[in-house]
Structure formats: C-alpha cells, structure tokens
Amino acid sequence: MHKIAVLGGDGTGPEVVREGLKVLEAASHKLGFKYETVDYDWGGDRYLRTGEILPPTAIDEMKKFDAIYLGAIGHPDVKPGILEKGILLYLRFGLDQYINLRPVKLYPGVETPLKDKGPADIDYVVVRENTEGLYTGAGGVLKKGTADEVAVQESINTRKGVERCIRYAFAYAQKRNKDKKLTLCGKTNVLTYAFDLWERAFYEVAKDYPDITTDYAHVDATTMWMVKNPEWFDVIVTDNMFGDIITDLGAMTQGGMGIAAGGNINPEGVSMFEPIGGSAPKYTGMNVINPLAAIGAVQMMLETLGETKAAELIDKAIAYVTGSKLKSMSAGKMGFTTTEVGDMVAQFVADA
Ligand code: IPM
Ligand code: MN
C-alpha cells in the first residue's frame, strides 16, 4: 500500500492534480497496486485565511508518507518568496530531498522551438542538486536602504552534499542505460572554489563507474548545446541554481511548462513530485490548463515507488495523447479541456 500525501496547492494546481490522480486510479485498477491519498490544503489561500504558512508539524507529518504529490505553490495576493520559501523550499530542505530530477523529453507530436530536432534528439535528464548552493539563504545584508548597502548571497557547497548528488547521477546514468554518459555542468573557469570541489568529487566518483563516459561543460556552453545539439546529452548533473535555470530552458525545448515534470527526491526518504510549471493563476478554474506535466509527475512518482509497469504505461499514454490528440501543449490551445486530456490518458491506461 503506497501512502501518498496530496498537496494541490495554489492556482491551477488542484485542477491538474485531479487529472493526475485520475490517471493514478486508472493505473492502479489496471495493474493491481494499492494506494491511499490524504489531502492537505497548504498554500496561499490557507495562508491568507490563517496567517500560518505551514503547521509546525508539517515535516513530521510528511515523513509518514511514501511520496508527496504537489500541484503548484504561488498566489497572486501573497508577496513573491513567502510561499515559495515557506512551503516548496521548506519541504525540499526539511525532507532532505537532495535531488531534483528533471527529464527533458520531447514527446511525439509536440512542437519544439528547436529547428530540425525531434523526440530522438531531445531526451535527457537533468540531476539538479536540491538542498545547497545559492538556495540555503546564507549571506546577509548591511546598511540596507542606504547608498552603502551591501548584499551577500553565498553559494554553499559541502563535500557530502556535492558527492551524494554526483553519486546519484552516475547511478542514474547507469540505470537509464541510454548513452551511459554523464555531463557535469559547472563554471570551473570562474567559480574556482565551488566547482573545483564539484570537479574533484565528479572525477573521484567516476572511478566507481567505469562504464559511464564523463563529460564536462560550463553552464553557458551547456545552454548553447541544449539548443544546438541536445542529442549530445544523456544525463546532466549540476548545482541548484544552474539546475534551476537550465531546466526552464529544457522545459521550453520539450514543448513548454504544460508538459515538464520533476521529482524532488530523497533516495533514503520521502520524495515529492510536481509539474514544474507553477500555479498559473490567470487560468484558475477555467479547465484549460495542460495536465500532462502533472500526469508526468505521477509517472515519475510511480517509477520511484517501484511501480515500473505502471510508470511505463503512463509514459506510453502520454505519448499517445501528444502524438495523436493534442493540437498544442499550451493552456487554452490544446483543442481539449483539462478534464478531457486527463480522461484520454486514463482511458488509454484502462484499455491497454
Ligand atoms: C523551481 C522553481 C523554484 C526554484 C522556486 C519557485 C523557488 O523555480 O522549482 O524550479 O527556484 O527551485
Ligand atoms: Mn525554476
């Protein structure tokens, strides 16, 4: 029995999560695995109503589950940063989800802005470190609001944090068994402390994975190759900030935020799966947003829970719907409603 916490969150989060759960239900019927869900109302509305971002027991509560399924966090009436830091980053850090796994996969029939590139070219995975770097909040401000203001925001890189991320990425490249190639994305020519640590750890860990080809690219060059030669990549490992930036670029090359999913993974603990697009408040309640990213998050969640067959089936179902049904991946332009897209994926799973 898989115990899943459901955090629909803000904006269109609950709408897309509903479709993801529909597909989860269909897959459980089809393949016979069991699960139960518990809903949480954490998000902007609850914060505005109660003044509390999260209950103090949030982390302990989440530790009781096998996985967390998250819609989106971000509310137009709440100052940017409060919910993102107070909920999303708080859970990632508190549950030590040290990997942010972001596949960049172009499904059949999906339009990419990359000229002459197709699904065979755009199919790689970014392993983003998810608990350190510029995201820890280390640093400070002096003389705020004066002409002498000083703002320092430090990138924290620990040997342990960097090494466990790199190790995960090597093991992932091995298990993925595609090109068996791992690219370290860094900036060794300028960030000579942080990425020196990354580079040393990378080549030391590489010795334990002789079957994996190692590769290095500076982050600026990485964005260039992601556009020009995405087929060069198999698995990319990088720090938190670079990973944040390059995965938005990656998402655009795979058809946009409507289809990009990700997992915040603690390989020894509780992981959290989410569509990476955000809450898209202007579409709330309109039944026009693309649920495929949220359905992709369910697919990743099942993979992590060991339901490999279900994950494979949902992947096929997504490919069927993008390849033969949807006109576009964008909200309002799919040719179907949010609910209808969820129905089509669930139906494919049921009929398989
Ligand atoms: C993401 C988001 C978050 C991040 C924000 C909302 C804090 O952009 O999941 O990529 O920067 O990690
Ligand atoms: Mn981001």
Side-chain angles (χ1 to χ4, degrees):
M1 172 74 80
H2 304 300
K3 292 184 70 188
I4 300 166
V6 177
L7 281 56
D10 298 319
T12 52
E15 286 166 58
V16 294
V17 155
R18 201 173 304 135
E19 301 314 309
L21 292 175
K22 192 186 277 175
V23 174
L24 177 64
E25 175 72 14
S28 108
H29 265 278
K30 185 78 200 174
L31 295 162
F33 65 85
K34 299 259 182 296
Y35 71 96
E36 62 181 34
T37 59
V38 180
D39 279 309
Y40 290 84
D41 66 348
W42 300 344
D45 287 328
R46 179 182 182 277
Y47 171 62
L48 291 171
R49 208 174 56 237
T50 65
E52 183 182 75
I53 302 175
L54 277 182
T57 52
I59 297 293
D60 286 339
E61 184 100 15
M62 290 299 105
K63 282 184 179 163
K64 295 184 207 148
F65 290 91
D66 298 309
I68 304 167
Y69 183 37
L70 173 74
I73 296 295
H75 194 291
D77 302 334
V78 181
K79 201 172 141 232
I82 294 183
L83 300 170
E84 290 87 339
K85 277 192 170 175
I87 300 180
L88 189 61
L89 297 183
Y90 182 81
L91 291 174
R92 285 179 184 171
F93 280 68
L95 294 166
D96 202 22
Q97 294 164 338
Y98 59 87
I99 300 297
N100 195 326
L101 193 65
R102 296 193 160 177
V104 180
K105 172 171 170 154
L106 182 66
Y107 277 98
V110 177
E111 202 181 330
T112 173
L114 303 188
K115 191 166 169 283
D116 300 331
K117 300 293 179 190
D121 305 302
I122 304 173
D123 184 8
Y124 56 93
V125 179
V126 178
V127 175
R128 164 187 173 188
E129 200 292 319
N130 211 30
T131 52
E132 300 195 338
L134 283 165
Y135 276 70
T136 62
V141 62
L142 285 175
K143 302 182 184 174
K144 188 165 179 173
T146 74
D148 297 322
E149 180 164 345
V150 181
V152 178
Q153 195 101 38
E154 287 161 323
S155 176
I156 304 296
N157 298 264
T158 69
R159 173 70 199 209
K160 181 181 153 197
V162 168
E163 185 171 329
R164 66 183 182 175
C165 174
I166 287 173
R167 228 168 247 293
Y168 179 92
F170 271 104
Y172 190 87
Q174 196 171 56
K175 185 159 159 253
R176 177 170 152 92
N177 201 16
K178 191 175 172 251
D179 302 331
K180 291 197 156 190
K181 176 178 169 187
L182 179 62
T183 303
L184 172 64
C185 162
K187 190 73 187 174
T188 52
N189 53 349
V190 176
L191 305 180
T192 49
Y193 309 126
F195 279 99
D196 179 58
L197 169 54
W198 276 82
E199 196 178 34
R200 275 181 287 116
F202 183 72
Y203 288 107
E204 278 166 36
V205 174
K207 290 183 195 144
D208 295 340
Y209 294 89
D211 56 328
I212 305 298
T213 307
T214 54
D215 178 41
Y216 173 81
H218 294 317
V219 61
D220 46 353
T222 302
T223 61
M224 185 171 79
W225 302 131
M226 282 170 70
V227 171
K228 198 168 176 293
N229 297 100
E231 67 279 4
W232 285 358
F233 295 119
D234 177 14
V235 180
I236 299 176
V237 64
T238 192
D239 82 350
N240 210 341
M241 188 79 259
F242 291 166
D244 177 48
I245 297 167
I246 70 171
T247 54
D248 267 26
L249 173 61
M252 285 303 127
T253 67
Q254 69 180 114
M257 289 304 189
I259 186 126
N264 302 279
I265 297 189
N266 177 342
E268 297 88 33
V270 186
S271 301
M272 177 167 75
F273 300 85
E274 52 172 343
I276 73 176
S279 59
K282 69 176 176 182
Y283 295 119
T284 306
M286 292 170 70
N287 204 21
V288 296
I289 194 101
N290 190 342
L292 287 180
I295 294 170
V298 166
Q299 189 261 338
M300 293 183 75
M301 176 165 75
L302 287 171
E303 178 96 56
T304 307
L305 290 171
E307 301 295 347
T308 318
K309 277 206 182 118
E312 273 168 18
L313 182 53
I314 294 174
D315 191 55
K316 275 205 197 112
I318 295 173
Y320 159 75
V321 168
T322 60
S324 62
K325 300 287 180 188
L326 295 204
K327 288 203 209 90
S328 154
M329 293 302 118
S330 310
K333 297 184 186 147
M334 300 186 290
F336 296 93
T337 63
T338 306
T339 324
E340 286 168 338
V341 176
D343 287 343
M344 287 189 287
V345 179
Q347 194 63 51
F348 183 94
V349 168
D351 293 346

